[in-house]
Amino acid sequence: MEKLVRKQIQTLTPYMSARRIGGSGDVWLNANESPFNNEYKTDFARLNRYSECQPNELISAYAAYAGVRPEQTITTRGADEGIELLIRAFCEPREDAILYCPPTYGMYSISAETMGVEQKVVPLTSDWQLDLTKIEANLDKVKLIFICSPNNPTGNLVKREDIVALLEMTKERAIVVMDEAYIDFCPEASTVDLLSQYANLAILRTLSKAFALAGLRCGFTLANQDLIKILLKVIAPYPVPVPVSEIATQALSEAGLARTKFQVLDLNANRAYLQVGLSMISGLEVFEGWGNYLLVKFPDGTALFKAAWDTGVILRNSPIENCVRISVGNRDECEKTLGFIRNYYS
């Protein structure tokens, strides 16, 4: 196998998802999942037939929710497949590059590496904003720029004026990909309104977070019609299983949207509760968060993470020194986590 596998894959370190890392406990706040387990019904009919490549009802429902036209929308197996489609469609292996700004989501890098596409890294500034000067100096060969807002794992929003400046800078040169996986928790910060002004903008979305459908693996890419047509050339023939389409469409119904709105309000309230409680513990730095998680700096993040792990409170270590990411769960999970951290430092 080692002789046959591609060189890029021989040295590749896979993305360590929460499920790969594992753990054992009764408080799971490590994967930015929703604590709500909503019920859906499907009759599992027509499973002997292939699904539509892009189910019309699902596309129309999400387009209406996002405020775009159906022809500006493509559905994928989570936002992760959207990342892969964009790289596959626009980047020539060993010729082109992507650019991303850590600390941020790790799949941009891994997806590019698996396809033999160069990666250019321009770290965020000390306040976790775009370094536009360094980005401009590194645009040679870059076809895609991935920006996450709210950013994972930091939780902050990227300044809108910087996003607009980046779009202007890269006109007819590169595509700016805004990863809005967590935008449903702060919809007013979306860049979807900029689609009408910038042909070089693509937006990644998902039902995994606010819609409480992480196990469904259903995401979307929003862009101008010409870009969507290109992605349709490279997507798998039948990317959306029939049950996925049916459940996702139910989630996007009037009743489903009302439920999601209520649950988002509940999670945002729990985030505020967790933020205030953690801020009252001496020695901790709690960063402002706009998604369904908070980044917290501890005196010794690794020690805190391990101690919580050992007691069944499963959190997520981050690449930022001494920082641990805590997903926002239900009130009981937040209270248990806050209580554990208070006792740990008392």
Side-chain angles (χ1 to χ4, degrees), residues 279-307:
S279 298
M280 296 174 67
I281 302 174
S282 178
L284 307 191
E285 183 176 4
V286 185
F287 299 99
E288 185 176 36
W290 292 88
N292 63 334
Y293 55 94
L294 288 172
L295 188 72
V296 184
K297 188 171 185 178
F298 296 91
D300 186 336
T302 301
L304 182 281
F305 171 81
K306 187 178 185 306

Side-chain angles (χ1 to χ4, degrees), residues 79-335:
D80 290 332
E81 187 184 23
I83 296 169
E84 293 186 357
L85 291 178
L86 286 160
I87 296 174
R88 198 184 329 151
F90 289 97
C91 295
E92 292 282 358
R94 294 173 294 280
E95 291 184 19
D96 297 326
I98 70 162
L99 186 149
Y100 64 96
C101 304
T104 194
Y105 185 42
M107 280 305 297
Y108 312 139
S109 170
I110 289 176
S111 293
E113 190 169 352
T114 59
M115 297 182 205
V117 172
E118 182 184 344
Q119 306 145 66
K120 293 194 175 185
V121 179
V122 178
L124 296 173
T125 62
S126 58
D127 58 347
W128 293 332
Q129 293 297 326
L130 301 180
D131 191 330
L132 291 172
T133 301
K134 288 185 179 178
I135 289 175
E136 188 169 22
N138 282 275
L139 285 179
D140 184 47
K141 299 196 298 181
V142 169
K143 290 283 191 71
L144 298 168
I145 301 172
F146 288 93
I147 305 297
C148 190
S149 181
N151 186 42
N152 179 14
T154 59
N156 67 292
L157 293 172
V158 176
K159 294 177 182 176
R160 183 180 173 90
E161 58 265 32
D162 288 352
I163 296 170
V164 172
L166 182 61
L167 286 164
E168 290 285 349
M169 181 193 304
T170 55
K171 271 184 177 179
E172 299 182 4
R173 187 172 183 179
I175 296 167
V176 175
V177 184
M178 292 300 304
D179 187 340
E180 293 188 349
Y182 302 95
I183 204 67
D184 307 282
F185 296 97
C186 51
E188 67 280 359
S190 176
T191 57
V192 72
D193 63 299
L194 297 176
L195 286 172
S196 61
Q197 302 173 52
Y198 295 98
N200 61 324
L201 172 62
I203 300 173
L204 299 172
R205 295 284 190 87
T206 183
L207 299 185
S208 295
K209 314 301 181 185
F211 283 85
L213 287 171
L216 198 67
R217 307 309 301 131
C218 184
F220 300 86
T221 301
L222 312 176
N224 70 76
Q225 188 174 0
D226 290 338
L227 194 155
I228 295 298
K229 285 180 178 178
I230 291 169
L231 297 185
L232 286 170
K233 288 184 176 183
V234 297
I235 198 169
Y238 311 107
V240 189
V242 171
V244 169
S245 176
E246 292 179 354
I247 292 171
T249 302
Q250 290 176 45
L252 292 162
S253 68
E254 185 177 353
L257 291 174
R259 178 174 57 193
T260 294
K261 184 176 181 180
F262 171 81
Q263 292 175 353
V264 164
L265 290 171
D266 189 64
L267 290 173
N268 283 347
N270 288 348
R271 183 185 65 207
Y273 164 80
L274 197 58
Q275 186 169 6
V276 169
L278 290 169
S279 298
M280 296 174 67
I281 302 174
S282 178
L284 307 191
E285 183 176 4
V286 185
F287 299 99
E288 185 176 36
W290 292 88
N292 63 334
Y293 55 94
L294 288 172
L295 188 72
V296 184
K297 188 171 185 178
F298 296 91
D300 186 336
T302 301
L304 182 281
F305 171 81
K306 187 178 185 306
W309 177 287
D310 291 342
T311 59
V313 177
I314 311 301
L315 309 178
R316 184 68 186 260
N317 239 335
S318 89
I320 306 168
E321 187 177 10
N322 288 323
C323 288
V324 175
R325 193 191 71 190
I326 304 175
S327 302
V328 177
N330 59 37
R331 184 55 64 99
D332 181 61
E333 291 170 322
C334 291
E335 288 176 351

Side-chain angles (χ1 to χ4, degrees), residues 47-64:
L47 295 186
N48 60 314
R49 304 296 183 188
Y50 287 115
S51 61
E52 295 179 78
C53 177
Q54 295 291 296
N56 289 329
E57 191 175 3
L58 174 58
I59 291 293
S60 296
Y62 195 82

